[in-house]
Amino acid sequence: MDETKVKLCGQTRREDIAFSFASGADFCGVVIEVPSSPRTRSIEQAAELFAGFKRTYLRPHRRRSMALYEAIAKRLSLVFSN
């Protein structure tokens, strides 16, 4: 049987990400470059949020350009995940 994983999305503060990981979350997510979302962050803001954290995966949820995903992955040193 597969182990259940926990992902908390829409993170906007480093202290929340740190708390989430310390509390057992497997993954934390951030909304990047989605102007319609009040939780959106720029690529640079996301890089600052996740700097120093070891969990570095990118799982696209919205249909956006591959160029945007590549820019995000490159700037945040991420690995694509499904």
Side-chain angles (χ1 to χ4, degrees):
M1 178 181 243
D2 289 333
E3 182 181 332
T4 300
K5 299 288 185 184
V6 175
K7 178 182 170 218
L8 300 173
C9 299
Q11 302 286 313
T12 59
R13 303 181 317 159
R14 282 188 58 80
E15 56 267 32
D16 294 337
I17 295 168
F19 179 80
S20 297
F21 285 140
S23 298
D26 297 294
F27 306 98
C28 287
V30 62
V31 177
I32 301 174
E33 304 290 347
V34 181
S36 62
S37 173
R39 303 184 75 75
T40 194
R41 296 295 180 261
S42 69
I43 294 173
E44 287 304 314
Q45 289 170 320
E48 291 171 14
L49 282 175
F50 285 94
F53 291 106
K54 299 286 183 201
R55 296 168 178 99
T56 54
Y57 296 93
L58 174 61
R59 183 169 187 232
H61 285 283
R62 301 186 126 214
R63 293 195 179 266
R64 306 294 300 271
S65 74
M66 186 52 72
L68 175 61
Y69 291 132
E70 289 171 353
I72 293 168
K74 181 177 180 182
R75 177 61 184 95
L76 276 70
S77 301
L78 302 178
V79 174
F80 280 93
S81 155
N82 23 344

